[in-house]
């Protein structure tokens, strides 16, 4: 987690042990444990993945021996995660002068989700319980002492965390007083003292976001009125009054990125907006005058919304702009960063690189380099000597020459939209052979997209000779407002058409054996898997539903409390269940009501503590299909949430999925 941005074991249960103590177990475990497949069933699935393969699942999904390197603000220490023999990832701190290494943060039963530096002597980390997303913020000294839970409240989660540089304070937004809405608190990360900064009481029109300056002063806020209108208020520095700057429909973008402290104008901000345009662009904006000062950057094809600014040592100048195009693109701005960018481009060619960490003076930079065939390497760049040295290769066992190409693709949908995506092709496909295909719809679905770069899933599939298709179907983010909104109320319908048109495109290129196509995805991708087996039952040989929605009605009813203010938006994105016509459509595209159309094998996987897609979604589809005599292997992990974060669980899942594909491709 970047502190300046918004926050994202019980073993496999077997039927035999459950039957011995069914009543007490069912009371303790989420969902219906009697539905979960036995260990023997899962092991049989795994056994189907046979062959003389150069790489194992562990090569792709065992976590790196060391990862997440960060430089301390004063440049004197290097922190990183290091994995022990039990696959726990502890945080260590290395004194760069003496070489002494200290274990600072210990990972126990629950994952350390993210960590970083608060100041030169203190670290933070975030953690939930078993994937339930009730995220807490912790702080500890670099020797592990003075550990404090900075948000020690039951059932809360964090919405944002902001470090106030050169102080001992962070500002967090959490739902302590009302689980549906968030309020800001100033916390001393040394003592743990908490001060509430503002109240947020109107559940129907809550404050949705707070705007603080670098000194921690509240300068503005946005209200989400009736779930559909966003109103930005800004504080007049002369009068102290908060005035309405702009009211926009929720579909529009008008959002402050940060204050421009490089300017003498204290009302000047970098802002991302798509008002008056289809694509989001970055502008300089005067909040007091409510006027654009100048356009900073825009792209005719892709949304642009990200910038990087220097720190205090270079007066917060704008260093670069970045966005996801066909690949990740960086536009250098400052003279300082242009020199760095030129040097790194010369060194790494067409690979992607980014600044992962820096000391406050930008003397030492940690640069991460990757590509579609390179998992990632950390380099240290000294901006004084202009020298680059390799710090750590994250996955040295994965040789670039053995990895598959991830190729950008573009095609027309059946109704004329330009659709972008990617296909990862094993060498056999490049040599003219027709290979099996895994169709992998992304989650979200709104505002999310697939990107170019190293993807351990697609590379794992390629190691077994399978191609992977990733379609950025309508409703995906990054391609402009019109493209995204064209998918609203088309989930399970035209969004699925785009996926099918992508499959048709791949077949037409001569890459794919049309009799060996599977569909697999997580979250909305799991839903799309179920809908794919229903909508085009002859297209797919099998499907894997990973934490996917099966019933739109129960999905809506099970929203976590902090999602409820957004329910009106969700009605416009998915379907309005209070409208009889739309409720009828929602039923038609809810897989649990269409199970008679599922003819091909299905594997269902779920995290028991998932707050986004409740375990009931997976239980329903498994129970409904089994009631029709349709056998469904079902994996549940009781120490996971919306996707598996723990290494043993991830490895077992991918081994099982590979076996499931092999079994069904070879029938």
């Amino acid at each position: 987690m970047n502190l300046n941005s918004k926050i994202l074991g019980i073993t496999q249960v077997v039927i035999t042990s459950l039957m011995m103590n069914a009543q007490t177990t069912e009371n303790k475990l989420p969902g219906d444990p009697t539905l979960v497949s036995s260990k023997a069933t899962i092991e049989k699935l795994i056994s189907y993945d046979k062959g003389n393969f150069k790489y194992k699942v562990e090569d792709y999904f065992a976590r790196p021996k060391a990862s997440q390197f960060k430089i301390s603000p004063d440049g004197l220490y290097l922190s990183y995660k290091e994995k022990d023999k039990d696959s726990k990832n502890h945080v260590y701190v290395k004194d760069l002068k003496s070489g002494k290494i200290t274990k600072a943060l210990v990972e126990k039963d629950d994952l350390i989700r993210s960590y970083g530096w608060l100041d030169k002597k203190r670290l933070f980390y975030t953690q939930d319980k078993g994937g339930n997303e009730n995220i807490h913020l912790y702080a500890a000294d670099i020797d592990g002492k003075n550990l404090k839970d900075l948000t020690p409240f039951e059932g809360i989660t964090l919405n944002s965390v902001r470090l106030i540089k050169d102080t001992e304070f962070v500002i967090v937004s959490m739902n302590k007083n009302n689980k549906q809405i968030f309020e800001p608190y100033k916390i001393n990360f040394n003592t743990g003292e908490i001060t509430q900064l503002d109240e947020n009481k109107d559940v129907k029109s809550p404050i949705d976001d707070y705007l603080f300056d670098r000194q921690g002063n509240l300068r503005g806020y946005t209200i989400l009125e009736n779930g559909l209108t966003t109103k930005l208020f800004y504080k007049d520095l002369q009068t102290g009054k908060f005035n309405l700057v702009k009211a926009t429909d929720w579909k529009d973008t008008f959002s402050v990125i940060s204050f421009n402290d490089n300017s003498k104008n204290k009302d000047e901000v970098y802002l991302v907006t798509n008002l008056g345009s289809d694509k989001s662009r970055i502008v300089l904006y005067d909040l007091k005058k409510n006027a654009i000062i100048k356009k900073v950057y825009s792209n005719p094809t892709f949304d642009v919304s990200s910038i990087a600014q220097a720190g205090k040592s270079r007066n917060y100048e704008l260093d670069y702009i970045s966005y996801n195009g066909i690949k990740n693109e960086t536009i250098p701005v400052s003279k300082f960063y242009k020199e760095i960018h030129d040097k790194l481009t010369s060194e790494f060619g067409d690979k992607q690189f980014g600044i992962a960490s820096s000391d406050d003076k930008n003397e030492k930079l940690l640069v991460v380099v990757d590509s579609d065939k390179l998992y990632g390497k950390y380099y240290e760049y000294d901006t004084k000597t202009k020298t680059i040295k390799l710090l750590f290769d994250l996955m040295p066992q994965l040789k670039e020459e053995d990895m598959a190409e991830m190729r950008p693709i573009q095609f027309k949908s059946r109704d004329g939209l330009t659709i972008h995506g990617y296909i990862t092709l094993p060498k056999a496909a490049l040599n003219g052979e027709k290979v099996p295909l895994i169709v992998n719809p992304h989650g979200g679905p709104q505002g999310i997209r697939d990107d170019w770069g190293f993807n351990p899933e697609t590379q794992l599939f390629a190691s077994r000779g399978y191609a992977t298709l990733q379609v950025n179907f309508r409703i995906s983010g990054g391609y402009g407002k019109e493209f995204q909104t064209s998918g609203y109320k088309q989930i399970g319908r035209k969004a699925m058409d785009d996926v099918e048109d992508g499959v048709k495109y791949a077949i037409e290129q001569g890459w794919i054996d049309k009799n060996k196509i599977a569909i697999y995805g997580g979250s909305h991708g799991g839903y799309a898997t179920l809908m794919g087996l229903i909508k085009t039952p002859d297209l797919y040989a099998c499907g894997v539903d990973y934490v996917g929605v099966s019933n739109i009605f129960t999905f809506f009813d099970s929203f976590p409390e902090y999602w409820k203010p957004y329910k009106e938006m969700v009605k416009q994105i998915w379907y309005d269940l209070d409208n009889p016509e739309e409720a009828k459509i929602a039923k038609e595209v809810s897989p649990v009501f269409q199970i008679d159309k599922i003819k091909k094998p299905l594997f269902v996987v779920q995290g028991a503590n998932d707050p986004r897609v409740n375990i009931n979604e997976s239980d329903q589809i498994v129970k409904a299909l089994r009631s029709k005599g349709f056998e469904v292997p079902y994996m549940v992990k009781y120490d996971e949430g919306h996707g598996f974060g723990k290494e043993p669980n991830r490895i077992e899942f991918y081994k099982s999925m590979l076996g499931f594909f092999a079994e069904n491709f070879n029938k």
Side-chain angles (χ1 to χ4, degrees):
M1 182 190 72
N2 182 328
L3 264 182
N4 293 324
S5 64
K6 284 194 174 183
I7 309 292
L8 353 181
I10 301 174
T11 58
Q12 174 72 37
V13 178
V14 291
I15 295 289
T16 51
S17 63
L18 285 166
M19 295 306 291
M20 293 170 62
N21 196 8
Q23 185 61 46
T24 56
T25 304
E26 287 180 20
N27 288 339
K28 291 181 180 179
L29 296 177
D32 183 352
T34 65
L35 296 172
V36 180
S37 294
S38 67
K39 183 178 180 180
T41 297
I42 298 301
E43 288 178 346
K44 185 176 181 181
L45 264 189
I46 293 172
S47 71
Y48 290 115
D49 181 41
K50 298 175 182 176
N52 185 24
F53 304 121
K54 185 171 183 178
Y55 293 101
K56 309 186 298 294
V57 169
E58 289 86 348
D59 291 321
Y60 298 94
F61 285 98
R63 298 198 185 281
K65 177 62 178 173
S67 61
Q68 296 188 35
F69 293 83
K70 300 177 191 292
I71 289 282
S72 64
D74 58 10
L76 298 179
Y77 298 93
L78 177 70
S79 63
Y80 54 93
K81 282 187 174 182
E82 184 172 303
K83 186 172 68 173
D84 68 13
K85 61 181 178 59
D86 298 316
S87 298
K88 302 295 184 182
N89 286 268
H90 313 298
V91 175
Y92 292 81
V93 173
K94 180 179 182 179
D95 185 319
L96 294 176
K97 187 175 182 179
S98 69
K100 180 183 178 183
I101 296 173
T102 304
K103 184 188 284 189
L105 306 175
V106 178
E107 184 175 87
K108 297 179 181 177
D109 290 338
D110 292 303
L111 299 172
I112 294 176
R113 297 285 176 178
S114 59
Y115 90 95
W117 289 88
L118 290 165
D119 61 14
K120 61 184 180 181
K121 293 294 184 182
R122 202 145 166 80
L123 298 164
F124 78 87
Y125 69 97
T126 61
Q127 196 169 58
D128 68 359
K129 296 291 184 185
N132 66 4
E133 298 186 18
N134 289 335
I135 299 168
H136 285 230
L137 179 70
Y138 298 83
D141 294 341
I142 58 174
D143 60 2
K145 296 178 181 178
N146 194 21
L147 174 64
K148 290 186 183 299
D149 182 350
L150 299 180
T151 56
F153 307 106
E154 190 69 28
I156 64 101
T157 192
L158 302 182
N159 188 40
S160 64
V161 181
R162 183 182 181 92
L163 173 64
I164 309 303
K165 289 286 288 183
D166 302 319
T167 75
E168 53 184 351
F169 296 100
V170 291
I171 294 176
V172 309
S173 179
M174 60 180 166
N175 57 346
K176 174 178 175 289
N177 295 322
N178 185 322
K179 295 301 180 282
Q180 290 191 26
I181 54 181
F182 295 83
E183 295 171 309
Y185 297 80
K186 186 177 183 179
I187 304 177
N188 185 307
F189 57 71
N190 287 315
T191 67
E193 181 182 357
I194 300 177
T195 304
Q196 185 168 342
L197 299 179
D198 194 47
E199 290 186 328
N200 192 7
K201 292 185 174 181
D202 188 349
V203 178
K204 290 186 177 179
S205 295
I207 297 174
D208 185 49
D209 198 11
Y210 292 90
L211 178 63
F212 290 92
D213 62 20
R214 293 182 196 276
Q215 292 72 45
N217 302 307
L218 180 61
R219 299 282 297 278
Y221 54 85
T222 57
I223 286 178
L224 181 61
E225 189 172 83
N226 298 318
L228 295 174
T229 301
T230 300
K231 291 185 173 181
L232 172 61
F233 289 83
Y234 177 66
K235 184 179 182 179
D236 186 305
L237 293 178
Q238 277 69 50
T239 67
K241 182 181 178 183
F242 286 87
N243 300 311
L244 177 65
V245 175
K246 192 79 68 177
T248 58
D249 184 83
W250 73 272
K251 299 185 191 73
D252 296 322
T253 300
F254 187 83
S255 178
V256 175
I257 303 172
S258 67
F259 283 93
N260 180 20
D261 289 320
N262 185 250
S263 170
K264 293 180 180 179
N265 179 0
K266 300 301 182 184
D267 301 310
E268 188 173 313
V269 297
Y270 288 102
L271 185 142
V272 57
T273 182
N274 60 11
L275 296 180
S277 64
D278 179 54
K279 307 297 186 293
S280 292
R281 64 199 189 281
I282 296 172
V283 298
L284 272 176
Y285 203 89
D286 188 310
L287 289 175
K288 184 175 182 180
K289 294 179 180 178
N290 194 10
I292 292 176
I293 298 170
K294 69 174 184 178
K295 183 181 83 171
V296 176
Y297 190 80
S298 64
N299 183 280
T301 307
F302 303 103
D303 291 326
V304 181
S305 61
S306 182
I307 65 170
Q309 291 171 270
K312 185 178 181 180
S313 64
R314 288 192 286 114
N315 197 31
Y316 310 105
E317 67 177 334
L318 179 62
D319 270 340
Y320 58 87
I321 296 144
S322 59
Y323 66 93
N324 281 331
I326 293 174
K327 298 181 179 181
N328 292 329
E329 303 288 349
T330 300
I331 313 299
V333 177
S334 69
K335 180 181 177 181
F336 178 85
Y337 188 75
K338 282 179 180 178
E339 186 176 287
I340 294 170
H341 189 268
D342 289 345
K343 176 73 173 178
L344 296 178
T345 300
S346 173
E347 182 78 17
F348 301 120
D350 60 357
K351 290 183 170 63
Q352 297 180 150
F353 57 82
I355 309 300
S357 180
S358 168
D359 65 305
D360 284 346
K361 294 182 179 179
N362 296 142
E363 293 177 353
K364 293 178 182 177
L365 308 181
L366 296 187
V367 180
V368 176
V369 180
D370 75 337
S371 73
D372 58 339
K373 297 182 179 182
L374 174 65
Y375 185 95
K377 293 180 179 180
Y378 276 88
Y379 290 82
E380 181 183 297
Y381 179 59
D382 189 312
T383 60
K384 285 187 171 182
T385 63
K386 312 293 191 292
T387 55
I388 302 171
K389 68 177 182 180
L390 178 65
L391 181 64
F392 197 80
D393 185 346
L394 292 170
M395 289 288 196
Q397 73 275 18
L398 298 177
K399 305 303 180 185
E400 287 184 65
E401 60 268 23
D402 294 331
M403 298 299 107
E405 174 190 357
M406 187 182 199
R407 182 176 297 183
I409 60 172
Q410 181 178 312
F411 58 90
K412 289 288 186 181
S413 69
R414 64 192 67 180
D415 58 353
L417 287 182
T418 298
I419 308 292
H420 296 265
Y422 302 90
I423 190 162
T424 301
L425 295 167
K427 288 182 172 60
L430 297 179
N431 293 333
E433 295 181 38
K434 294 184 187 299
V435 300
L437 176 67
I438 311 299
V439 181
N440 183 214
H442 63 67
Q446 73 282 356
I448 308 297
R449 56 160 286 185
D450 284 313
D451 303 322
W452 186 87
F454 193 93
N455 186 319
E457 282 189 340
T458 67
Q459 292 295 342
L460 173 64
F461 298 154
S463 75
R464 296 327 193 242
Y466 309 152
T468 304
L469 175 68
Q470 296 169 289
V471 176
N472 284 327
F473 42 85
R474 71 191 73 200
I475 209 173
S476 300
Y479 299 96
K481 178 168 53 178
E482 184 177 339
F483 185 80
Q484 182 168 322
T485 57
S486 70
Y488 291 173
K489 298 189 186 296
Q490 293 298 329
I491 297 170
R493 299 195 291 167
K494 288 184 178 180
M496 292 302 303
D497 291 348
D498 294 343
V499 175
E500 294 155 20
D501 292 345
V503 176
K504 180 182 177 184
Y505 169 85
I507 292 172
E508 288 173 348
Q509 306 314 301
W511 297 318
I512 305 306
D513 180 344
K514 64 181 181 181
N515 295 314
K516 294 183 178 181
I517 301 174
I519 183 168
Y520 147 68
S523 195
H524 164 266
Y527 165 82
T529 292
L530 298 174
M531 283 306 302
L533 296 179
I534 289 164
K535 190 170 180 288
T536 49
D538 296 327
L539 183 60
Y540 301 112
C542 60
V544 178
D545 163 22
Y546 183 34
V547 297
V549 175
S550 69
N551 181 338
I552 294 173
F553 296 84
T554 54
F555 171 55
F556 278 25
D557 287 341
S558 64
F559 282 175
E561 288 296 305
Y562 47 87
W563 277 18
K564 289 182 178 177
Y566 304 101
K567 201 158 189 176
E568 293 304 314
M569 290 184 192
V570 178
K571 288 180 180 180
Q572 293 196 12
I573 295 168
W574 288 70
Y575 300 99
D576 183 353
L577 304 184
D578 296 325
N579 179 318
E581 290 185 10
E582 291 193 25
K584 181 181 177 183
I585 296 170
K587 188 169 184 179
E588 292 170 354
V589 295
S590 286
V592 76
F593 300 116
Q594 310 294 329
I595 59 168
D596 288 342
K597 297 175 183 175
I598 295 179
K599 308 295 183 186
K600 300 295 176 63
L602 174 67
F603 178 28
V604 178
V605 183
Q606 180 69 41
N609 304 316
D610 191 340
R612 306 187 197 188
V613 178
N614 189 279
I615 190 173
N616 181 45
E617 295 300 308
S618 290
D619 279 3
Q620 283 183 76
I621 199 73
V622 170
K623 190 176 293 185
L625 284 167
R626 287 181 181 172
S627 71
K628 298 287 185 180
F630 196 96
E631 184 50 43
V632 182
Y634 185 25
M635 174 185 286
V636 175
K637 293 299 180 183
Y638 288 92
D639 54 352
E640 298 283 10
H642 196 60
F644 294 174
K646 296 185 176 180
E647 184 178 304
N649 294 339
R650 286 158 59 89
I651 289 171
E652 184 182 2
F653 165 50
Y654 283 104
K655 285 183 175 181
S656 303
M657 180 160 54
L658 283 182
F660 181 76
F661 289 149
E663 177 191 15
N664 289 289
F665 283 155
N666 295 323
K667 282 183 176 179

